[in-house]
Amino acid sequence: MDSVGVILLVEDNKKILEANRWILEQRGHRVLCAETLAEARAFFLVESPDVAVLDIMLPDGDGISFLKELRATYSIPVLFLTSMVEQEDIIKGLRAGSNDYITKPYKIDEFCARVEAALKWEQSRREQLPRKIVKGPFALDLLSNQATLNGHMLDLTATEFKLLYLCIQNEGKIMDFDHIYESIWQRPMGDDRNAVQAAVKRFRQKMEPAGYDIYAVRGKGYIFEKA
């Protein structure tokens, strides 16, 4: 094992949570532990996990719905670790966007191997990305998801950062709804055009003081340029 990282475990069975935490820490990883979805959400506000391992049945919701929520903002590998072992459950979990599906009971060595394979994939993906992109007054750090305008930090959510990245790559060009949605949420838009409109509305409010705007082009999409 040559890759170490930050792993978030979301599991309401304390014995399983502590056992997995202990073995992963023994292998050099930093482990974050959440027993509820509320605790997991709180971690994502202040931490940057490399991999998340989710139970499906949790006290305040289900892991599949939470995964769909995560996929709206984050692209890290997510593995399910669950006692739901029916074939239809596995298919549902994979179709929801998980990178792997591990059923309980499980062998600890296989668990570690699957988590570390996902970690290695994520670290390889990040290494292939350019660290920084500078265009005009904007500078984007693609690893920390932080952006500056003329040297001043912009207060952007993860979704808004992705939208800014897309905008500066296509400044002055029309970006259609599907392209915006798929670039940010990494899945087909379907009937979810409202998500694009809501994201653009919030993003526009943050760009106006900077002298930039993202304009609607009726029936086509949006265009980003100086106001």
Side-chain angles (χ1 to χ4, degrees):
M1 193 274 297
D2 56 2
S3 297
V4 296
V6 180
I7 300 168
L8 172 63
L9 303 179
V10 188
E11 169 66 63
D12 65 331
N13 185 312
K14 291 186 178 181
K15 289 185 178 179
I16 292 176
L17 185 64
E18 284 303 309
N20 289 342
R21 178 194 63 78
W22 185 85
I23 191 63
L24 289 171
E25 288 183 342
Q26 292 299 303
R27 297 172 70 85
H29 304 293
R30 180 166 169 253
V31 182
L32 311 172
C33 294
E35 296 182 28
T36 65
L37 294 180
E39 292 177 1
R41 290 187 184 96
F43 273 125
F44 274 101
L45 293 176
V46 296
E47 300 279 357
S48 299
D50 298 305
V51 176
V53 181
L54 303 181
D55 195 358
I56 290 181
M57 300 175 67
L58 290 156
D60 55 345
D62 70 275
I64 288 180
S65 295
F66 183 58
L67 172 58
K68 292 177 180 178
E69 178 184 324
L70 286 182
R71 283 290 178 253
T73 306
Y74 302 95
S75 57
I76 65 168
V78 176
L79 296 77
F80 280 127
L81 178 63
T82 175
S83 57
M84 300 179 68
V85 300
E86 297 297 327
Q87 186 71 14
E88 62 184 38
D89 295 322
I90 297 172
I91 292 172
K92 184 178 180 181
L94 293 172
R95 284 181 173 170
S98 70
N99 298 77
D100 205 346
Y101 194 105
I102 307 169
T103 58
K104 303 172 183 176
Y106 56 96
K107 295 181 179 179
I108 197 67
D109 288 343
E110 181 180 349
F111 168 76
C112 290
R114 288 175 180 263
V115 170
E116 287 169 352
L119 173 63
K120 187 174 182 180
W121 179 89
E122 173 64 6
Q123 292 177 336
S124 176
R125 182 187 71 84
R126 292 183 183 180
E127 287 171 0
Q128 294 173 21
L129 292 173
R131 168 77 194 205
K132 276 192 174 184
I133 289 180
V134 178
K135 187 171 183 181
F138 293 102
L140 281 67
D141 187 320
L142 300 182
L143 294 185
S144 65
N145 283 359
Q146 293 181 331
T148 61
L149 175 71
N150 293 322
H152 298 287
M153 190 70 69
L154 290 170
D155 181 19
L156 302 177
T157 66
T159 296
E160 290 163 352
F161 178 87
K162 291 180 181 179
L163 181 53
L164 176 59
Y165 181 33
L166 180 65
C167 283
I168 67 171
Q169 288 181 308
N170 295 275
E171 186 175 349
K173 301 176 183 177
I174 295 175
M175 300 172 288
D176 64 46
F177 290 100
D178 289 276
H179 180 53
I180 293 173
Y181 191 93
E182 291 171 11
S183 297
I184 294 175
W185 286 279
Q186 302 295 308
R187 61 175 184 265
M189 182 174 68
D191 297 324
D192 201 15
R193 180 175 289 196
N194 288 340
V196 174
Q197 294 170 332
V200 166
K201 181 179 179 180
R202 294 189 300 268
F203 179 72
R204 175 182 287 123
Q205 292 171 347
K206 295 185 178 181
M207 289 295 105
E208 283 178 352
Y212 281 81
D213 201 354
I214 179 167
Y215 302 94
V217 180
R218 180 172 293 185
K220 294 184 178 181
Y222 293 94
I223 185 168
F224 180 75
E225 58 190 10
K226 294 196 73 170

